[in-house]
Amino acid sequence: MQLVVARIGRAHGIKGEVTVEVRTDEPELRLAPGAVLATEPATAGPLTIETGRVHSGRLLLRFEGVRDRTAAEALRNTLLIAEVDPAELPEDPEEFYDHQLMDLDVVLADGTEIGRITEITHLPSQDLFIVERPDGSEVMIPFVEEIVTEIDLEEQRAVITPPPGLIDESQAVIASLRDEDGDEDEAPESGKDA
């Protein structure tokens, strides 16, 4: 099975290094020197990692055969893809590969069905489950410990305890600037001369 482990960013310097947006929790394993990675688009690879180093908090890689800035810049936005055994599990029992989470049933702690995970979106601050509800609508669930309380791969389900309004908008708590009488403060008119 193939997993996207990184996206190539800008060229760094003049000797063929590139910045990399890491998309794996195991960069020391997947992005180590000697690793051969498939690419998307396929015409850019396969690429073999020659060297890797961290500079100013960012991973820099150099690939075999890429010797100058022009060649490195040509790889920009290329996805790096590792071949992974589908039975392989992450070392940390609290981590999961995307393929393990896809199609899990999402339920509340009391067993109420919410839907099924159809997509996982990786954002800089957190990951999101895109959950298709039985009526065909979708809801986004942040994959954080406070909301996703259990992942049970044997039972093929994710148990959630959502805050009010995440699943049912009618339960949302609306913050407002209304006073205790329920009257809204009058907003000043704009665009008129006084």
Side-chain angles (χ1 to χ4, degrees):
M1 179 178 64
Q2 296 187 324
L3 294 176
V4 174
V5 293
R7 183 183 65 82
I8 297 175
R10 296 186 301 224
H12 179 83
I14 60 171
K15 296 185 178 181
E17 282 185 312
V18 294
T19 61
V20 176
E21 175 190 306
V22 177
R23 295 190 180 174
T24 176
D25 290 332
E26 302 169 313
E28 67 285 345
L29 174 67
R30 307 281 179 219
L31 301 171
V36 179
L37 302 168
T39 60
E40 176 62 42
T43 54
L47 295 172
T48 301
I49 297 174
E50 187 173 283
T51 63
R53 67 185 178 101
V54 176
H55 175 73
S56 298
R58 186 129 209 169
L59 180 62
L60 302 177
L61 296 179
R62 180 178 299 142
F63 300 101
E64 290 181 5
V66 178
R67 295 283 172 242
D68 60 33
R69 185 175 185 87
T70 304
E73 194 61 42
L75 294 173
R76 190 173 190 165
N77 294 322
T78 298
L79 297 177
L80 299 175
I81 303 167
E83 191 65 41
V84 177
D85 180 349
E88 182 181 330
L89 299 175
E91 290 179 16
D92 184 341
E94 296 297 314
E95 292 179 3
F96 303 94
Y97 292 131
D98 286 3
H99 73 274
Q100 294 175 290
L101 301 171
M102 291 296 291
D103 292 324
L104 290 185
D105 293 324
V106 178
V107 298
L108 298 178
D110 67 5
T112 303
E113 180 185 349
I114 300 301
R116 178 179 60 84
I117 299 172
T118 58
E119 186 180 337
I120 299 165
T121 302
H122 301 281
L123 302 175
S125 60
Q126 68 192 14
D127 296 334
L128 286 176
F129 291 160
I130 309 300
V131 177
E132 184 178 319
R133 302 190 69 175
D135 66 5
S137 65
E138 290 183 338
V139 63
M140 292 184 280
I141 311 245
F143 186 22
V144 294
E145 191 175 350
E146 296 80 21
I147 297 173
V148 181
T149 58
E150 179 186 356
I151 298 289
D152 186 339
L153 296 178
E154 282 188 24
E155 295 292 322
Q156 287 291 290
R157 67 183 192 149
V159 179
I160 65 169
T161 54
L166 183 66
I167 302 299
D168 184 354
E169 291 180 9
S170 68
Q171 296 176 351
V173 177
I174 309 294
S176 72
L177 298 176
R178 297 179 184 191
D179 62 23
E180 291 180 22
D181 296 331
D183 296 332
E184 291 187 27
D185 292 336
E186 289 197 30
E189 293 184 33
S190 60
K192 292 187 178 179
D193 293 334

